[in-house]
Amino acid sequence: MIGEVSALRPLLAAAGLGLGIATVREPGPRPAGPAEAAAAASMPARRRLEFLAGRRAARRALRAVGLDCGEIPRSGRLPVFPPGRTASISHSAGIAVAVARAAGPDLPLGCDLELRPLPRAAARLVLREDEEELLDDRDEPFRAGSRPTGAGWTVTELFSAKEAAWKALASTSTGTGTGTGTGPACLGEALDAPNGDRRDGPNGDRLNGPEYGRLGEAQDPDATESQIPREEGPQGLRHARSAGSLRDLRVGPAEDGMCVVRLRADPARAVRVRVVRVRTGVFGYVLGPSPSLDTSAALG
């Protein structure tokens, strides 16, 4: 699996992004400084490994674009990067990935790794009725670069696109520049929760079992940073996890097999997202802001 993720480096490099990868199985994981050590100390063993793997992935992504970075402390549940450095972190199935951009314009940054495909039944937790036409009957995503024009999307692809987009949209609105801004369903560095964890659907319905992955009350590897409910919305306002969901974003197709994700409450705020296949899972990453368009047309 690491090889499949690593193979995405040229694709991301072409977009000006560096990729960092780490796993929870790497020997001798240690915090990079006292702030990381203090954060990790209060975490259960599994969370600690995931938290440290995310930090290593972020440092490796930054090195890939020529930037050194020491320890990455937290402010609340958000990672805090040194000035001129920014990265977005995602976790799935014991693997942490991060993308970083070289110092320069403050462009939106977000990524999401999903190695466990979501069932089609999960669509109601991700999409609204005006997005359901995007779905098709495939169980697996298209391979990178092979999406036919007008082809449909799997639930996992659309979920990953929205997760990556929310991180980017939230971080730009809060001014954190971290690429890990918290939002309705992807707060911070989101993570697959343990099997059997209880999930909340958009209408308060309870879902159980691993097949629903991170939907509902998704968990965050940054600690007790992963405790529920999650907290900051796109305007930097604190609220309970149940206050929103990925259904508060609207996704639509774009050129070259990409998609555009917009805030329903503010359609002018939008990003372009590419979603590529990683074995039976997917990796979504934000390429940049989407050109503005007529907002009435955007929301049909």
Side-chain angles (χ1 to χ4, degrees):
M1 184 63 71
I2 297 297
E4 286 89 339
V5 179
S6 296
L8 299 176
R9 293 184 192 278
L11 188 64
L12 272 71
L17 299 171
L19 176 66
I21 306 169
T23 77
V24 298
R25 297 178 179 85
E26 293 177 14
R30 289 185 174 84
E36 286 187 11
S42 62
M43 301 177 188
R46 174 184 165 182
R47 290 285 183 266
R48 185 181 308 117
L49 291 173
E50 290 160 344
F51 170 80
L52 295 175
R55 267 26 185 198
R56 293 194 302 275
R59 282 188 281 272
R60 292 167 186 174
L62 286 162
R63 281 201 298 270
V65 292
L67 298 172
D68 290 328
C69 183
E71 73 166 338
I72 303 170
R74 299 188 300 171
S75 175
R77 299 179 185 180
L78 290 177
V80 178
F81 293 91
R85 288 154 176 77
T86 181
S88 177
I89 307 170
S90 182
H91 302 244
S92 185
I95 297 176
V97 298
V99 295
R101 200 186 303 276
D106 186 16
L107 296 174
L109 189 65
C111 72
D112 180 68
L113 180 66
E114 299 294 334
L115 298 180
R116 297 168 181 163
L118 299 172
R120 189 181 178 90
R124 64 192 178 88
L125 305 180
V126 181
L127 308 174
R128 296 195 186 188
E129 290 184 1
D130 59 5
E131 298 168 301
E132 291 179 356
E133 64 182 12
L134 298 173
L135 289 170
D136 71 8
D137 295 326
R138 287 176 299 117
D139 292 326
E140 294 187 352
F142 289 109
R143 295 186 182 278
S146 67
R147 176 182 296 280
T149 301
W153 301 70
T154 66
V155 175
T156 311
E157 288 174 308
L158 295 174
F159 178 84
S160 185
K162 285 192 172 188
E163 284 259 337
W166 193 268
K167 293 178 184 181
L169 291 167
S171 65
T172 54
S173 67
T174 59
T176 63
T178 64
T180 50
T182 59
C186 61
L187 311 179
E189 304 160 11
L191 163 74
D192 296 284
N195 291 356
D197 277 2
R198 189 172 67 178
R199 312 276 181 237
D200 278 346
N203 299 311
D205 48 328
R206 299 291 184 175
L207 303 174
N208 294 283
E211 69 273 21
Y212 286 97
R214 296 185 354 231
L215 294 173
E217 295 180 348
Q219 304 238 353
D220 186 316
D222 272 40
T224 19
E225 207 161 297
S226 62
Q227 304 300 329
I228 313 240
R230 305 184 122 163
E231 44 198 6
E232 281 186 31
Q235 307 305 325
L237 300 176
R238 301 261 169 189
H239 65 279
R241 168 64 182 81
S242 59
S245 75
L246 290 183
R247 288 157 53 93
D248 295 326
L249 300 176
R250 181 171 181 179
V251 60
E255 74 286 352
D256 299 328
M258 293 184 287
C259 61
V260 173
V261 182
R262 302 180 183 279
L263 279 174
R264 288 183 179 271
D266 185 2
R269 291 181 52 207
V271 292
R272 292 180 300 118
V273 184
R274 185 185 296 279
V275 182
V276 297
R277 181 176 179 174
V278 180
R279 197 173 291 183
T280 58
V282 300
F283 179 65
Y285 60 98
V286 172
L287 290 165
S290 176
S292 60
L293 50 67
D294 176 36
T295 55
S296 61
L299 293 182

